[in-house]
Amino acid sequence: MIFQLPSISSFVTKKALSLFLVLFSVVTLTAQEVIKDQPTKEAPKTDSSKKMKVDGVIATVGDYIILDSDIDKAYLEIASQGGSVKDITRCQMLGKLMEDKLYAHQAVQDSVKVTDSEVKAMMDERLNYMTEQLGSMDKVVSYYKKNNEEEFRTYFFDILKENKLTSEMQKKIVDDVQITPEEVRNFFKKIPKDELPVFGAEMEVAQIVVKPKISDADKQKVIDRLNGFKKEIQEGSSFATKAVLYSQDPGSRASGGYYKMNRKTPFVKEFKDVAFSLAEGEISAPFETEYGYHIIYVEKIKGQEIELRHILLAPKVTEESLQEAKEKIALIRKRIVDKEITFAEAARTLSDEKETRANGGTLINPKTQDTRFELTKMDPSLYAQVSNLKENEISSPIPEELQEGKKQFKLVTVTNRINEHTADYAKDYTKIKELALKEKQIKAIAKWFDEKIKDTYIKIVGEYRDCVFTNNWLKK
């Protein structure tokens, strides 16, 4: 959503609200057209006043124009996502659209690479989601007021490509911004005491997981079934159709098991190792990951990227295995309560969750990558499990149902509670470092805008010339 800010302290917000929007907002899908073959530093030869009457052009940024109707579409997009637009003026919205255009224009000038195949993969993923939400492609086309699917796809492709250029340019600007401990210290010292941020109540949580065991016979059934699929596909059946009908991967099933990846894409190691060992057109033997058993078909290899399809099947868990897991975790809890073993020792030696086992079961917050969870931002299901626990109290065994019907049992405990408090440099260094880095990124963004606005052809027409912008679009 365009104008949604991350949770940060008010003193940073006061300094640079607009630039935070630039740096951290999501690019809204708005319809702008590209001016073909127009010089970037000279005014277009077309009479701008006549063009305003014909098609509603209100601004030009480099090779891009913005229509008056684009502002209306941006409002609709925010509203469709449940956002409020009552406090967003048309001038503010135009300023944001111009920022996006400058990013995209400069990305092209800097030869930032966005391939058509990359955009097509993004589009397929978005369209799958949109058709699921609205019910059919016809309804998607109607929602965007297009005449047919082909017209909509062309329109949508251009928007996604521009959005990708914008996000890649933003990333390029801030990626090289680093911060030293000395800069963090100086940042903190400059904050007046009465403006120090207040951090909400937090807790650190650990867990022990016991997963039901699956028999070798049940594993072999799944392997045999996948081998059967492989044989049928090699004889002419469609891999994509098999994936739609049988794969248990909710993330790719609707698109026929399709993924595009490179070696940096965050897939589990076993999956990546097999994928990058295959030749184009080859189908793997069944192999195991933590999610179950897979077969992979490599459709295309393009340099360091591959396009593939896969089918995932998970062996079924018997009631007997479920009962054994339940009894095991109850016994682990009893041993901890009886002080035969500590929670951390039990996690290291008895937990089936490899991600937390080495840390004594301590959970890592996926948003901050540290061990603290702010209560107001905690996942609701985890909060429900730990909110009533006293420090170092151990929960009763908790049954958990995962995706595709998988089940497991776990114990959770709160290892540390941190009450709401004013920022403390020693205790809150990670959070303070994040705020200091954001401020430095803001300055880098501001400097970039100042430089690029000077070097780019920019024109605003009509009543929008009276707007008060954060950036110097009118070059006064």
Side-chain angles (χ1 to χ4, degrees), residues 347-359:
R348 282 190 284 268
T349 57
L350 301 171
S351 179
D352 291 329
E353 187 174 62
K354 62 181 181 181
E355 294 84 359
T356 60
R357 200 162 46 207
N359 297 327

Side-chain angles (χ1 to χ4, degrees), residues 170-428:
Q170 290 174 333
K171 185 173 182 292
K172 182 179 178 181
I173 297 166
V174 301
D175 266 359
D176 293 333
V177 179
Q178 304 292 330
I179 195 157
T180 66
E182 184 64 24
E183 288 176 310
V184 177
R185 188 179 297 107
N186 290 335
F187 168 82
F188 186 74
K189 286 180 179 178
K190 289 177 183 177
I191 305 173
K193 286 189 176 181
D194 60 349
E195 292 184 25
L196 285 170
V198 175
F199 296 127
E202 297 173 306
M203 62 172 60
E204 293 178 313
V205 180
Q207 66 182 29
I208 296 170
V209 174
V210 172
K211 300 178 181 180
K213 303 301 180 187
I214 299 168
S215 69
D216 290 341
D218 287 329
K219 291 180 181 179
Q220 192 60 49
K221 286 179 184 177
V222 170
I223 294 170
D224 291 343
R225 195 174 186 206
L226 287 172
N227 276 324
F229 289 161
K230 179 179 178 180
K231 184 173 184 295
E232 291 170 11
I233 292 162
Q234 289 172 330
E235 293 173 351
S237 294
S238 165
F239 195 106
T241 300
K242 294 282 187 190
V244 169
L245 292 174
Y246 303 111
S247 181
Q248 294 174 345
D249 175 18
S252 69
R253 183 171 51 208
S255 59
Y258 177 86
Y259 282 120
K260 185 172 78 169
M261 61 186 290
N262 56 45
R263 292 190 181 276
K264 294 182 180 179
T265 308
F267 280 72
V268 291
K269 181 179 183 300
E270 299 89 342
F271 191 96
K272 290 171 73 171
D273 287 347
V274 173
F276 284 99
S277 71
L278 299 173
E280 192 170 293
E282 187 178 359
I283 303 175
S284 75
F287 65 96
E288 186 178 13
T289 71
E290 62 190 85
Y291 300 103
Y293 287 84
H294 313 249
I295 55 172
I296 291 176
Y297 165 59
V298 174
E299 284 192 340
K300 292 181 182 178
I301 299 177
K302 298 180 179 179
Q304 298 300 311
E305 289 188 335
I306 59 175
E307 295 181 31
L308 59 81
R309 297 184 185 275
H310 88 122
I311 297 172
L312 167 68
L313 294 180
K316 291 183 178 179
V317 176
T318 65
E319 287 300 321
E320 182 180 358
S321 293
L322 280 172
Q323 185 59 34
E324 288 177 358
K326 186 177 180 181
E327 291 172 358
K328 179 180 177 180
I329 204 159
L331 180 59
I332 292 172
R333 183 181 189 278
K334 185 176 186 302
R335 290 184 63 192
I336 297 170
V337 170
D338 291 345
K339 302 190 184 308
E340 290 181 28
I341 189 172
T342 67
F343 193 99
E345 290 169 343
R348 282 190 284 268
T349 57
L350 301 171
S351 179
D352 291 329
E353 187 174 62
K354 62 181 181 181
E355 294 84 359
T356 60
R357 200 162 46 207
N359 297 327
T362 300
L363 296 179
I364 301 298
N365 187 332
K367 295 179 181 177
T368 62
Q369 297 305 308
D370 65 15
T371 58
R372 293 184 179 185
F373 290 81
E374 192 171 336
L375 268 59
T376 58
K377 298 176 183 176
M378 185 178 283
D379 178 85
S381 60
L382 179 60
Y383 179 79
Q385 293 166 0
V386 300
S387 58
N388 293 323
L389 291 177
K390 298 175 182 177
E391 195 166 314
N392 294 319
E393 182 183 359
I394 303 166
S395 72
S396 299
I398 301 169
E400 243 186 355
E401 186 157 337
L402 310 177
Q403 62 182 18
E404 297 300 325
K406 288 185 178 180
K407 295 180 180 179
Q408 63 183 25
F409 296 90
K410 71 179 185 179
L411 303 173
V412 294
T413 187
V414 176
T415 57
N416 188 22
R417 287 184 183 274
I418 302 99
N419 294 325
E420 180 177 284
H421 62 283
T422 301
D424 178 280
Y425 182 77
K427 295 179 181 177
D428 301 303

Side-chain angles (χ1 to χ4, degrees), residues 3-21 24 187 195 197 435 438-439 442 470:
F3 288 93
Q4 185 174 4
L5 283 172
S7 177
I8 54 174
S9 62
S10 60
F11 70 92
V12 174
T13 307
K14 291 174 185 175
K15 287 184 178 181
L17 173 61
S18 177
L19 288 170
F20 264 116
L21 299 177
F24 299 107
F187 168 82
E195 292 184 25
L435 292 174
K438 285 178 180 176
E439 183 183 67
I442 286 170
T470 302

Side-chain angles (χ1 to χ4, degrees), residues 86-135:
K86 66 177 182 178
D87 295 324
I88 305 173
T89 68
R90 294 186 75 82
C91 287
Q92 287 175 324
M93 190 68 81
L94 174 59
K96 179 62 176 68
L97 295 179
M98 291 181 71
E99 289 165 2
D100 291 342
K101 295 303 149 203
L102 186 57
Y103 280 129
H105 170 77
Q106 194 59 45
V108 174
Q109 305 305 306
D110 290 357
S111 301
V112 172
K113 298 294 183 184
V114 175
T115 64
D116 287 353
S117 60
E118 195 175 1
V119 179
K120 184 179 181 300
M122 290 169 55
M123 184 166 71
D124 289 343
E125 184 178 339
R126 292 289 297 270
L127 289 181
N128 286 333
Y129 175 78
M130 290 160 69
T131 51
E132 283 182 11
Q133 295 299 307
L134 296 179

Side-chain angles (χ1 to χ4, degrees), residues 35-81:
I35 301 176
K36 304 298 183 183
D37 303 322
Q38 177 182 301
T40 58
K41 295 186 181 180
E42 298 177 7
K45 295 179 181 179
T46 309
D47 186 309
S48 61
S49 62
K50 291 180 181 178
K51 195 168 185 63
M52 181 70 179
K53 294 175 183 177
V54 174
D55 61 9
V57 175
I58 57 172
T60 304
V61 179
D63 292 334
Y64 294 91
I65 63 173
I66 300 173
L67 309 177
D68 198 31
S69 60
D70 292 332
I71 295 179
D72 300 317
K73 290 170 185 173
Y75 280 127
L76 285 173
E77 187 68 29
I78 294 174
S80 72
Q81 297 178 35

